[in-house]
Structures are given as C-alpha cells and as structure tokens.
Amino acid sequence: MPKKVGDNMNFPIPGFVPVPSAEIMQTISIVSLIVGVCFVGAGLLFLFLNKKKGKEKKATALWIFIGVGALLIVNHGIQLLF
C-alpha cells in the first residue's frame, strides 16, 4: 500500500492540547475564506470611496486591510483544495 504524504509525521500530541476534527478544520477554513473575501471587498470599496473624495494619503491602512484579506483567501483557498 503506498504511503500518503503525511504518514511519516506521527508526532505525539499531549492530551492537554485540543486538536479539532477534520470537519471542524474545514469549517474554520471556509469561514476564514469568506472573511478574507469580505476584507478585500470592504477595503476596495473604501479605497475607491476615498479616491473620489481626494483623500489618497490615508490609504495605507486600507491596503493593509486588502493584503490581509488576500492572504486569508490564498491560504484557506489552498487548504480547502487539499
């Protein structure tokens, strides 16, 4: 029988460390993916609203917000593929 990728990673996990099941981890990834999409959408919306008002100097926080959202999308999107 062929080995899976994670078969040789059998580390002992202490009993006091809570380990969620695979279904819970999938739910967490789905929720984080949705939160990432909302972050990017809200960041882009406020970025375009600020450009219309002419307040382009304070856009750094919005770009950070968009970057965090994009990071969540990429990270949890890839986790959901595997």
Side-chain angles (χ1 to χ4, degrees), residues 51-70:
K51 279 194 175 190
K52 287 183 180 179
K53 292 181 181 178
K55 297 179 183 178
E56 295 181 19
K57 289 187 177 183
K58 298 194 177 190
T60 306
L62 291 175
W63 281 109
I64 292 171
F65 205 63
I66 293 169
V68 169

Side-chain angles (χ1 to χ4, degrees), residues 16-63:
F16 61 87
V17 176
V19 179
S21 66
E23 293 84 20
I24 299 294
M25 290 299 290
Q26 185 177 16
T27 304
I28 291 171
S29 287
I30 290 170
V31 169
S32 296
L33 182 70
I34 293 169
V35 167
V37 169
C38 291
F39 276 7
V40 170
L44 289 174
L45 176 72
F46 286 119
L47 186 69
F48 289 126
L49 289 176
N50 277 348
K51 279 194 175 190
K52 287 183 180 179
K53 292 181 181 178
K55 297 179 183 178
E56 295 181 19
K57 289 187 177 183
K58 298 194 177 190
T60 306
L62 291 175
W63 281 109

